[in-house]
Amino acid sequence: MLDVRAVVTGIGSCLPPDVVSNDDLSLVLDTTHDWIFSRTGIARRHVVRPGTSTGDLGTAAGAAALESAGRRGCDLVLLATTTPDQRCPATAPQIAARLGLAGVPAFDLAAVCSGFVYGLTVAASMIGAGTYDSVLLIGAETYSTIVDPADRGTAVLFGDGAAAVVLERGLPGTPGEVLHVELGSDGDHAGLISVPGGGSRAPHLDDDASRHFRMDGREVYVRAVAAMTRSARSVAEAVGWRPEEIDAFVGHQANARILRAVARRLGVAEERVVSQLAEVGNTAGASIPLALAWAASQGRLAKGDRVLLTAFGGGLTWGSAAMVWPGVHPVRAEGPSPG
Ligand code: UT7
């Protein structure tokens, strides 16, 4: 049987045009630029205007990724998101239809900040199994629609955005190859990151406490460093990469201190750590593909580079992946057009 691998052949991104700086937030919250920047590395974030949805951002990013790959379509559309356009139905089929792909299978995947790495695993597995030849994997979020604007503990952290990759079947050794993936979860600690209302356990969204995102930041911090280190180390060892052979370390963009701490524990030099946090903040399921697209556009990723991805988020969930960077040109979509 032919040894088939999933290969990244295109990448695209879309950030909404409106930007909120730390100084802007300090006018409405008991916070300062210095606190936010020194604790997180975040200086500003992009946010959608009312009426612009996750699906709008995801459609624009998906179109950009298809353009980057030089393709008109694909066999499967996957959307990693925690902020879908509606509870029912999933957002991915609408994105597919807006991309002219009505008819192809499309579904949402909910793994919060680990969503992109979970999606990469699903896409690579389906291509490897021969189920589909090409997958459009989108990470898109609008956390500005779920954070409590009055909670300085979370409102300063998150931003909106979307990015996407195209994966196609290829032969082992092709630049862009996804070499290895590992995932994990621990639902015993689901309460550390949650939106309490709106689900079957508590369907009503009639007060702020039930409709808003909440997080125990300090507890999540400790668990994120431990799980990302363990998971990323395991993946690097599985593919036989020594720390000094890793060209780019792209961790979930939640906090620059977390990225530095994980890299230090792995033995990866600080200049190999990709951090877009200053510009976009934490964009949850969109953060890793956004960081990849940004790093590639800055010339920080070259064809053949060894890239180690790792993520941690609500669920709790985590996951890591090793891939070789392809010679793709990222396409940046200007801004979403509302659907
Ligand atoms: O994306 C999913 C994964 N998420 C993460 O990985 C996030 C992980 N957590 C973190 O990144 C950090 O825990 C935070 C950035 C959320 C918080 O940083 P911290 O250093 O852990 O601060 P803290 O929560 O322990 O708060 C320290 C102090 C508190 O005041 P007291 O109790 O010491 O008087 C907070 O009330 O800072 C206060 N504080 C703030 N002060 C100014 C919390 N938020 C703010 C704020 N501005 N925005």
Side-chain angles (χ1 to χ4, degrees), residues 165-288:
V165 295
V166 174
L167 295 116
E168 298 182 49
R169 57 183 275 154
L171 296 175
T174 309
E177 180 181 351
V178 179
L179 297 172
H180 189 70
V181 285
E182 287 185 20
L183 305 177
S185 81
D186 180 1
D188 280 342
H189 301 285
L192 294 178
I193 298 174
S194 71
V195 177
S200 58
R201 192 173 295 285
H204 300 294
L205 289 167
D206 41 16
D207 60 58
D208 282 355
S210 39
R211 98 175 141 252
H212 284 143
F213 175 91
R214 50 161 98 144
M215 174 171 72
D216 180 341
R218 185 166 284 188
E219 188 65 30
V220 169
Y221 186 107
V222 174
R223 289 174 185 277
V225 171
M228 289 163 90
T229 303
R230 217 172 32 243
S231 163
R233 181 178 289 138
S234 174
V235 165
E237 285 174 2
V239 295
W241 291 353
R242 294 192 304 274
E244 63 275 17
E245 294 175 326
I246 295 163
D247 297 301
F249 171 67
V250 187
H252 166 52
Q253 311 274 300
N255 188 316
R257 291 188 295 143
I258 294 179
L259 295 179
R260 280 197 298 272
V262 175
R264 201 166 48 242
R265 283 163 171 75
L266 293 172
V268 173
E270 196 166 334
E271 62 270 17
R272 306 278 169 96
V273 177
V274 171
S275 175
Q276 194 191 7
L277 273 157
E279 300 303 318
V280 298
N282 183 345
T283 56
S287 88
I288 288 184

Side-chain angles (χ1 to χ4, degrees), residues 102-129:
V104 307
F107 64 92
D108 292 3
L109 192 157
V112 198
C113 298
S114 310
F116 182 78
V117 178
Y118 267 65
L120 198 65
T121 305
V122 173
S125 303
M126 286 189 161
I127 289 173

